[in-house]
Amino acid sequence: MEEKTIQIAGSITVDELSKALGLSVTELIGTLFKNGIVATINQRLDFETASIIIDELGLKNVRLERKNTSTRTSDFHRELSDKAVLRPPVVAVMGHVDHGKTTLLDTLLNKKTVDDEAGGITQHISAYQLNRDGRLITFLDTPGHEAFAAIRQHGAMLTDIVVIVVAADDGVKPQTIEAINFAKSANAKIIVAINKIDREGADINRTMADLSNNGLQPEEWGGDTVMVPISAKLGQNLDQLLDMILLTADIEELKADIDIPAEGLVIESHMETGKGSVVSLLVTGGELKVGEFVVAGSSYGKVRTMLDWQGKPKGKAVPSTPVTVTGFKELPNFGDRFTEVKDEKTARKMALLNAQAIANESADANVTSSDLLRMMNVADNSKTFNVIIKGDVLGSVTSVVDSLRLIDTHGEITLNIVSTGVGDINENDVYMAAGENTIIYGFNVSVPINISKMAARDNVPIRTYKIIYELLDDAKHEMENLLDAEIVEEDKGELKVLGVFRTEKTSTIAGGEVLKGDVKPNYLVRVVRNKKYLGEAEVVSVQKEKMDVKELVSGETGGLALKTEHKLDLQIGDRLQFFTRESRRRTL
Ligand code: GDP
């Protein structure tokens, strides 16, 4: 049968779906009706409902695809004109925790001193630029680098080169592999920095072997991955690393157009007293200037001030430049794409259209899958995990939320994000959480004493973390606690009844031969006659030659006292199958 793909942008009307499927409207309405939905031709169905209906119709050749309507995730890799000019490479440093990412960036950028100079202005800037022999390299500080998946969703596709840091005394670790996978899926070039070579126990060869077992073949060994042994702490071989980055950039011929309206990505945003919204942008095309109007998602504004990553005023930002601007009327989201527009009116109009598109993605469906499940009477046993997320900056809140959404609970747990926000945990958060079984998670924020007292009084758990994956682990653990335990039964043995000595209301004494396995007190019993299940019982005691024993094994004969739920008329020839039953906590 011919494969068919139907794209759904947010939702689809009954009429559109029937046309796309080549079915009559009546047939489709009939199927909906059978599932408890009285629908009209213009009724809108959401993506999940459409999938369920297609499944119901048995249309195995039809594939549904979500079509993105919002401008938020537009493709950055636009076609370049022949006027495109070379631009600096955008580099992300990734790798396992403690392998030296922060140290590498600090040493490269002399960040510590810079932070001091700029009086904390650089605190939230998540991109830096470095000048090597007159050429610039842009480094992205991937917020919560553990949350690769979330970052990927938010357009880290603009990363040209990923430097994977691997400690030579520790080798390839889970997050190293994640970083490799991330780089590959983002189509970025990979350069490996084998770090901590100054350490005793550092083994460059073993690390290279480890890497080649994970799909990265070192150039020296005939492969195509550049690997540079470094010491981030002592600054050893860092020049060579930078040269390799520039060489890779040269080979890739990274370019951008500059005679187009400025565009790029929101990489950070937060509110600051006296300044309003402070937004970090990475320009990917065109030239952004102070005084221009910009739109990002549903937010817009006029660039009032523009600073470079070191906090110095900048009049114009060319592609691959990270800048911090003020002037956005509301906080745009981390990952939103921004574009320059000609005037305020256009900016306002576009922001409004974007806001509508974003709202439509989720809200324009008349029938949602949960309605459908309810109508279909499918037991929705899912439990709800309520959380409030607070973070120091919008980017970290988004990362936490996105990563939480990616925890697969096999559909058993619904994540309910009661609210999110930037800033310390406050009275309102506790107020919202109280009585609702809600956990407040804080990322890089603090809890004022009076708030923690209030939370303790109201039994509201507050958990604060500085490392994303620790927060995620905690949340995962909490979700696991909500899962129903798994019942595991294990077969132990079987006995053939050769004699029945006494049958009472809730007890039976019988004897027989163990055919396989063993029998012990406390085992559970399935009573089977001619392959038919008669009931369940429990072994109270086991006897051999009239003496209580701990067990009977295969080949032995003996007696059993059983406890039964109701009167069990055992007969000679019945089979008793022994088993144990255990409830086990499940993990995600
Ligand atoms: P991150 O979690 O990947 O950002 O790792 P950090 O940069 O915080 O480094 C973790 C620890 O390793 C710190 O104690 C660093 O001082 C240390 N470290 C990082 N690079 C080197 C290095 O090249 N040599 C040595 N000896 N220690 C290093």
Side-chain angles (χ1 to χ4, degrees), residues 93-107 145-146 165 167 169 194-200 230-236:
V93 178
M94 293 179 166
H96 198 72
V97 65
D98 276 348
H99 279 199
K101 298 174 291 292
T102 317
T103 311
L104 175 61
L105 278 172
D106 284 354
T107 313
H145 24 243
E146 296 80 13
V165 179
D169 59 348
I194 300 182
N195 191 28
K196 304 198 189 182
I197 53 165
D198 58 296
R199 278 226 173 142
E200 213 177 299
I230 62 162
S231 166
K233 197 169 169 179
L234 307 181
Q236 230 172 310

Side-chain angles (χ1 to χ4, degrees), residues 330-345:
E330 289 166 41
L331 278 189
N333 285 317
F334 164 58
D336 276 349
R337 181 189 172 176
F338 80 85
T339 39
E340 176 207 330
V341 293
K342 64 176 195 296
D343 53 24
E344 173 144 26
K345 199 168 137 214

Side-chain angles (χ1 to χ4, degrees), residues 435-467:
E436 295 290 339
N437 250 337
T438 301
I439 298 181
I440 303 178
Y441 282 106
F443 181 69
N444 270 333
V445 297
S446 37
V447 192
I449 292 272
N450 60 325
I451 300 300
S452 65
K453 277 191 189 145
M454 180 182 162
R457 191 193 61 211
D458 294 351
N459 277 329
V460 172
I462 297 182
R463 317 259 166 86
T464 54
Y465 288 94
K466 291 211 177 311
I467 298 180

Side-chain angles (χ1 to χ4, degrees), residues 95 151 188-189 192 232 288 311 325 329 358 410 460 468 523 528 537 557:
I151 296 167
K189 291 284 147 200
V192 177
L288 185 66
V325 304
K329 297 212 183 299
I358 295 162
H410 318 298
V460 172
I468 282 204
Y523 277 1
V528 178
T557 49

